[in-house]
Amino acid sequence: MSTTRQYLDLDTVKKRWAPRVRRAKRMWSRFTTHKMGVLGVLILLTFILMALFPGAFTRHSLEWQAYLGTDNLRHTAAQRETLPHPPAFGDPFWAPLGTNQSGQSIWTLIVYSADTALYIGFAAGLLSSLVGVPLGLIRGYYGDTWVDGLIQRLVDVFYGLPFLPFLIVLVAIRGVSTTNIILGIAITSWLNQCIIIRGETLSLKERSYVDSAKVAGASDARVVFRHILPNVLPLTFVFLAQDAATAILAQASLAYLGLADFTTISWGMMIQNIQSQGYVFQAWWWLIPPGLAIAAIAAAFYFIGYSMEDVTNPQGT
Amino acid sequence: MSRISARWLLVRLGSAYVTLLVIMTIIFGLIQATPGDFISAMIGPETTQDQIDALYEQWGVNDPLWQQYIDYMINYQTLEFGRSPFYGEDAADLIIRRLPRTLTLFGAAFLIGYVVGPLVGMYLGWWRGTRKDKSVFAGGLLMFSMPAFWIAWLGIWLFNYNLGVFPSRYMFTQFPSFESWTILRTITDVLRHIALPLGSLAFVGWVGSMLVMRPNMINVTEQDYVFLAHAKGLSERTVMIKHAARNALLPVATQAIVGIAFIIDGSVIIEQVFSWPGIGLTLVDAVFNNDYPSADPIR
């Protein structure tokens, strides 16, 4: 008992983690030389704050409607005439980006949709990494054997899979929800990761430290996950960020085609709504913000991803 | 490198064929798992029960599953796709009629993307690390993150609704008769109609190849032969275009070939926005109408 406690001692932990902390600090200082990456982190942080504390960013809650406030009343005909209302400040109500046809403030909708977008981005990115990275590692380690060939055929099949019908079937079987849409996106987006991680592993496994690990008697699994995985990990973060951006764009497109959960709010759904309600030409204040929000969050992920790429691959610049 | 022997080629072709069979099998499974069947798309209110039964018999829906599977596999490999109940014509004809329209739009977008993208990528790679490189690169990424259908709607709103310059839907002006049309008039009409969809596709499309070209260019400029070319006293321009860019283009070409396969995937939404009568629109309509004879062969 007394001997095992020693490992939990703070100083020992500090000592053990010191090289990793130093490495992380070095990577961070390299990362901050890229203004683009810092900008991406700032945008992402803003959206995370929005998702966590939506109340701090808007004056109204989701139930708020122009003229009515949060009372559960109906608009009069004269009020409904004005209703996708252009931006208004102060009198008679406060809506910095105007309102939609039922009087909800566009800015409030944007703020309250941030969590959906973040959820989609992170969940789809993580899922496709969780599938793509292990398969890529296995393929690379057993490169040019039948295992590699088999997984290559699997990747080919998934490349040929019709995305839209596939997603419709998935949604029909499991019900329309954001989670199922994410599942569909992740199933079709792990392929690039798999191929690139394979190439990286192929070159890494020729290094001498892999040979020495093998000589020391490490099993294949230990070599792959203990010695090769940490070295491809930075690369996977690059692709995680890019996959997250692609997933957000894909979800917006699907929502536009009508394949989205109609009970949750998301930026893609807002663009789909303006089109189905027929206000595209009258309400520019409704059309532009959701697209900008999608572009901002996807760009944030891309910025971070490409700056990371420079950090992890110092030969680049 | 005489690796391309007849045997190697055969193995490659064989495995491609097996992959195709597996994909077809998966699609067959997907169709079986989809709720609703396409017979219901053909039934009107006045169809009698006998007719419905006859339809089921005629289309082979009552056959056992393995029978359907074998029919499906044989028919699709001989390009017998059957008739589309939704459009009322042979699916093969439908696709042959619609494919060129998709190819016009997306071929043009593809061409623009793969001319502009590598060119910009070449300059950015050459000017790596400068402020110009950084700002154009970030701007390109920002454009890459915009949803294409949103750009399309903005384009329609600006150029069609506010300025009235370009039409917003279809491929031709809709007239009852096209007899008096000369070739020149047809071309200008198509050009006016293609402007907005092409513009919104090209707006996003060039970035993909730029993203591949730039790092390649950066790698190439550090090679010895580029250094040698500089040492020979060749002008900057000659070194950049003749020595560096040519070698950096190879991965872009690979990407372009893969990219052709994704034209149809990308076509779906833009064709939907602009009612462009191409194959993506057919796919969406077909999928939402349970119209399998025309939905499957598109893939």
Side-chain angles (χ1 to χ4, degrees), chain A residues 21-311:
Chain A
V21 171
R22 224 179 304 132
R23 203 157 57 213
K25 268 186 186 157
R26 202 166 57 227
M27 281 178 91
W28 174 247
S29 74
R30 257 195 85 93
F31 184 83
T32 47
T33 59
H34 295 273
K35 287 206 189 82
M36 196 174 81
V38 177
L39 184 70
V41 170
L42 284 181
I43 298 175
L44 198 63
L45 273 181
T46 317
F47 278 121
I48 289 174
L49 285 177
M50 252 186 205
L52 291 178
F53 313 105
F57 283 84
T58 68
R59 218 180 256 191
H60 312 302
S61 67
L62 270 181
E63 288 80 38
W64 182 87
Q65 283 176 302
Y67 300 118
L68 307 178
T70 48
D71 304 331
N72 199 6
L73 299 169
R74 281 172 180 280
H75 290 110
T76 62
Q79 283 171 343
R80 208 175 299 123
E81 278 291 289
T82 66
L83 252 188
H85 197 286
F89 302 93
D91 229 18
F93 51 81
W94 191 82
L97 291 175
T99 74
N100 65 7
Q101 95 286 354
S102 57
Q104 287 170 301
S105 163
I106 299 291
W107 173 243
T108 311
L109 285 176
I110 297 258
V111 169
Y112 277 88
S113 313
D115 58 344
T116 319
L118 285 173
Y119 172 46
I120 292 162
F122 282 118
L126 274 176
L127 268 181
S128 65
S129 304
L130 280 180
V131 181
V133 172
L135 282 182
L137 280 172
I138 293 169
R139 277 187 66 183
Y141 193 70
Y142 300 107
D144 290 327
T145 61
W146 62 272
V147 182
D148 186 21
L150 194 74
I151 301 178
Q152 175 60 40
R153 291 288 87 76
L154 192 72
V155 170
D156 283 350
V157 167
F158 271 92
Y159 262 127
L161 208 65
F163 180 56
L164 204 61
F166 174 75
L167 205 78
I168 291 173
V169 171
L170 186 83
V171 161
I173 295 172
R174 296 180 40 95
V176 182
S177 73
T178 312
T179 315
N180 291 337
I181 302 277
I182 291 171
L183 221 60
I185 294 172
I187 284 174
T188 47
S189 70
W190 58 271
L191 308 166
N192 287 332
Q193 289 228 16
C194 181
I195 290 170
I196 295 200
I197 297 295
R198 169 185 183 263
E200 191 69 16
T201 314
L202 268 181
S203 77
L204 281 176
K205 77 167 182 180
E206 303 298 329
R207 302 279 176 87
S208 49
Y209 66 82
V210 172
D211 285 339
S212 46
K214 272 189 205 158
V215 170
S219 66
D220 282 0
R222 190 179 160 85
V223 171
V224 169
F225 288 104
R226 187 74 204 175
H227 298 277
I228 297 182
L229 179 66
N231 288 299
V232 296
L233 217 50
L235 196 68
T236 70
F237 280 120
V238 175
F239 282 91
L240 199 152
Q242 289 174 17
D243 277 351
T246 332
I248 288 169
L249 288 173
Q251 193 269 344
S253 310
L254 289 172
Y256 178 77
L257 286 175
L259 281 173
D261 187 357
F262 285 83
T263 54
T264 61
I265 46 168
S266 71
W267 297 324
M269 282 303 303
M270 289 174 72
I271 304 184
Q272 147 74 16
N273 277 339
I274 182 174
Q275 193 238 348
S276 63
Q277 303 285 341
Y279 288 110
V280 177
F281 300 132
Q282 287 91 24
W284 55 266
W285 59 87
W286 184 3
L287 176 64
I288 294 174
L292 277 185
I294 294 173
I297 195 162
F301 277 119
Y302 278 131
F303 286 172
I304 295 172
Y306 278 96
S307 304
M308 285 276 291
E309 201 168 20
D310 269 4
V311 174

Side-chain angles (χ1 to χ4, degrees), chain B residues 136-171:
Chain B
V136 175
F137 185 64
L141 276 183
L142 187 66
M143 283 161 93
F144 199 47
S145 347
M146 295 181 183
F149 62 94
W150 178 69
I151 299 285
W153 275 117
L154 280 186
I156 293 178
W157 174 69
L158 187 66
F159 290 106
N160 180 261
Y161 182 75
N162 283 345
L163 301 176
V165 199
F166 297 120
S168 67
R169 13 186 24 189
Y170 307 122
M171 195 172 170

